[in-house]
Amino acid sequence: MMKKHIKAGKVVLDIVSVVLALIYIGPIVWAFFVSLQHEGKKISSVISWFTPPYTLKNYKDVIFNSSVPLWFINSLLIAVLVTAATIIVTAMAAYALALLPFKGSKFFLFYMILGMMVPGEATIVPLFITVKSMHMIDSYAGMILPTIAGSMNLIIMVTFFRGLPKELLEAVEIDGGGKLTTFFKIVMPLSKPIIATVCIFTFVGSWNNYLWPLLCAMSDKMFTLPVGIPTFATTYTVDYVKPMTASMVASLPMIILYIIFERQIVAGITQGAVKG
């Protein structure tokens, strides 16, 4: 009887998983087929979006006759630099808080946790004023530096670092290794799963960031894809075809990233939860 209940539960779980997968994949499939349609095609029903004739001319126009490649490069450059800087800064801060306790470290960590309770939109005005006073508006520095420090990434790394074997870290110090040696040769290699997780979350968050780049980028040459695509839609056409083509170009790196690193994401989250 128990086995029948387990089998029935598995079937229900599989069905729910398939339904949820279809719900999430549906918009991507629709956008892909729309991007293959001829501009100005008459749409009489939902099915019309998926029927031929198809064309790749939209991708050619978006890639070679628009600002999408420039926005793509901006998004990629900013996302890569934000991810690299976030890992370095967050890992060092987490190492100090988790393994090098100092006076006030618990208060500092509590302060970072409190920061998670403040909506990001509430900090936009003071952040804009600060960046403007430093003359970094409409620059890569202005879009990168304010997004490096994140409370969630810090807390995740602190939790993971606290679960590292203390005996191993102490053995390094006994052998004459300093704090930096311990950090770069022991802590970082042991933390590859959680680092991979933070890297992916940070990259995706930066790639999809809309509000701050919208306020910081004053010229279209500094636009990222989330900021540029809505402008692209109103500038070039009122049809769905070109905007969806640009959206597919923008989504491609995220789809590839997920396919490649899906296991690392799950492993990092699972191991972080166990360590915590």
Side-chain angles (χ1 to χ4, degrees):
M1 183 65 68
M2 183 64 70
K3 290 184 178 179
K4 289 183 178 180
H5 282 302
I6 294 175
K7 187 175 181 180
K10 186 178 184 302
V11 171
V12 173
L13 182 61
D14 290 342
I15 293 174
V16 172
S17 300
V18 171
V19 171
L20 290 176
L22 291 175
I23 292 174
Y24 282 101
I25 295 176
I28 300 176
V29 175
W30 176 77
F32 174 71
F33 276 97
V34 171
S35 70
L36 297 176
Q37 300 296 331
H38 289 272
E39 195 170 10
K41 176 182 176 180
K42 183 179 179 181
I43 304 298
S44 57
S45 66
V46 176
I47 303 300
S48 300
W49 288 117
F50 301 92
T51 57
Y54 304 123
T55 179
L56 294 176
K57 180 178 180 295
N58 303 318
Y59 285 92
K60 180 180 177 180
D61 291 342
V62 165
I63 294 174
F64 295 104
N65 301 321
S66 73
S67 298
V68 170
L70 175 61
W71 301 336
F72 185 96
I73 293 173
N74 288 342
S75 293
L76 183 63
L77 178 63
I78 292 171
V80 169
L81 293 178
V82 166
T83 301
T86 297
I87 290 298
I88 295 173
V89 172
T90 305
M92 287 186 171
Y95 176 59
L97 290 172
L99 303 175
L100 303 175
F102 55 90
K103 187 176 181 180
S105 59
K106 292 184 178 179
F107 172 79
F108 183 80
L109 184 59
F110 179 71
Y111 176 78
M112 295 299 293
I113 295 175
L114 287 178
M116 296 174 58
M117 303 179 185
V118 180
E121 291 78 5
T123 64
I124 285 295
V125 173
L127 181 60
F128 182 85
I129 294 173
T130 302
V131 173
K132 187 175 184 298
S133 66
M134 299 175 68
H135 306 289
M136 292 194 300
I137 294 295
D138 201 32
S139 68
Y140 288 116
M143 287 194 283
I144 292 172
L145 294 179
T147 59
I148 290 176
S151 299
M152 178 59 73
N153 292 333
L154 179 63
I155 293 169
I156 290 174
M157 282 198 167
V158 167
T159 303
F160 187 89
F161 286 175
R162 283 177 175 172
L164 295 177
K166 300 294 190 299
E167 298 80 7
L168 180 60
L169 303 179
E170 292 172 356
V172 176
E173 294 184 3
I174 293 174
D175 291 340
K179 302 299 183 184
L180 289 178
T181 301
T182 303
F183 176 74
F184 285 109
K185 294 189 176 182
I186 303 299
V187 175
M188 294 298 280
L190 289 176
S191 305
K192 287 181 180 178
I194 207 66
I195 290 174
T197 301
V198 173
C199 275
I200 294 168
F201 287 164
T202 302
F203 187 91
V204 173
S206 177
W207 185 272
N208 294 328
N209 192 9
Y210 174 76
L211 182 57
W212 178 244
L214 175 66
L215 297 175
C216 187
M218 298 297 177
S219 59
D220 59 354
K221 68 178 181 179
M222 292 300 301
F223 282 177
T224 58
L225 284 169
V227 178
I229 288 177
T231 306
F232 174 89
T234 56
T235 301
Y236 288 83
T237 178
V238 294
D239 202 349
Y240 283 114
V241 174
K242 288 291 177 62
M244 286 303 167
T245 306
S247 296
M248 288 304 301
V249 173
S251 302
L252 187 61
M254 295 299 97
I255 296 173
I256 295 174
L257 192 70
Y258 178 79
I259 293 173
I260 295 176
F261 294 106
E262 184 265 342
R263 290 185 178 181
Q264 284 81 348
I265 296 175
V266 176
I269 295 175
T270 305
Q271 190 165 352
V274 173
K275 290 290 184 182

